[in-house]
Amino acid sequence: MSRVQNQVPEQNSPQDNEGSWIGELGRTIILSVILALGIRTFVAEARWIPSESMVPTLQKYDKLIVDKVSYHFVEPERGDIVVFSPTETIKKDNPNLKDAFIKRIVGLPGDKVEVKGERVYINDRPLQEKYIEAPPQYQYGPVTVPPNSYLVLGDNRNNSYDSHFWGFVPRDNIIGRAIVRFWPLNRIGELN
């Protein structure tokens, strides 16, 4: 005959509960950091605008979300506002400049681009631009955008350090596409 013994469950001391609570908090913090870094590295990240080169579309100190995923599936398009790492030419001319840039894609691979008579021409046709601060007051080109590269210009054409100074952006330098402004609150919205 087997006997059933009454077993008294062990009581956890307050110190044991405190230890498990601290361990759980530590695991939660570590998991949160890993997720945040993974999202920032591979999915999206916040950026702020340090200059007036994209006025009127983006104002200095606007804060944006940059989509880092979509360009793994589709190619950048004319009109996209992109964030990119400095090109080799930029690094050579400004060795201390390491911050990413933000500009609008104007020329796609194979496009002939020219700026003349206060207009941008793509393949000899004037580009319709409702987003610029003022017509460009300079001449540029004609140039042909090389394969796997893009010509980018700031919307504030006359006050932008962009492709008309330093050339093309290699596809590999593009970090992502600016998709949403989240600050200031009165300007929240999608970027087209």
Side-chain angles (χ1 to χ4, degrees):
M1 178 187 260
S2 70
R3 285 195 276 177
V4 177
Q5 293 181 329
N6 288 338
Q7 292 186 353
V8 178
E10 290 183 30
Q11 297 290 326
N12 290 335
S13 71
Q15 291 168 338
D16 289 342
N17 288 336
E18 186 178 305
S20 66
W21 179 82
I22 290 173
E24 187 63 32
L25 177 63
R27 285 189 292 276
T28 301
I29 289 172
I30 290 170
L31 181 60
S32 297
V33 168
I34 290 170
L35 285 172
L37 290 175
I39 289 170
R40 185 173 193 274
T41 301
F42 300 109
V43 179
E45 70 179 76
R47 293 277 180 159
W48 65 280
I49 305 302
S51 73
E52 295 180 348
S53 70
M54 286 297 292
V55 166
T57 307
L58 300 171
Q59 303 296 318
K60 191 172 183 179
Y61 306 122
D62 280 358
K63 292 184 173 45
L64 315 170
I65 297 293
V66 176
D67 164 19
K68 298 170 88 173
V69 174
S70 63
Y71 286 156
H72 292 288
F73 305 103
V74 298
E75 290 300 314
E77 296 179 9
R78 187 180 340 278
D80 287 356
I81 298 172
V82 294
V83 173
F84 57 95
S85 302
T87 66
E88 290 305 315
T89 304
I90 294 170
K91 288 188 227 176
K92 193 182 307 175
D93 294 344
N94 303 285
N96 296 327
L97 189 59
K98 295 179 181 19
D99 291 336
F101 282 65
I102 185 165
K103 305 290 179 207
R104 187 179 299 273
I105 292 179
V106 172
L108 302 174
D111 281 347
K112 175 182 158 192
V113 181
E114 185 173 13
V115 180
K116 63 181 179 182
E118 299 186 345
R119 300 284 305 261
V120 174
Y121 290 83
I122 304 295
N123 301 320
D124 299 318
R125 293 190 177 143
L127 183 62
Q128 301 301 314
E129 300 183 289
K130 298 176 183 170
Y131 44 76
I132 62 174
E133 176 75 356
Q137 301 299 310
Y138 56 85
Q139 306 293 310
Y140 174 74
V143 296
T144 300
V145 182
N148 298 311
S149 297
Y150 297 86
L151 186 132
V152 297
L153 299 174
D155 289 355
N156 190 357
R157 293 289 153 81
N158 300 307
N159 295 294
S160 179
Y161 183 55
D162 54 31
S163 283
H164 86 276
F165 282 105
W166 41 256
F168 308 103
V169 177
R171 174 68 173 84
D172 291 343
N173 284 51
I174 296 177
I175 295 166
R177 180 173 61 100
I179 55 171
V180 173
R181 176 183 15 248
F182 67 90
W183 188 264
L185 295 176
N186 65 338
R187 291 172 38 98
I188 287 177
E190 280 187 56
L191 300 172
N192 296 330

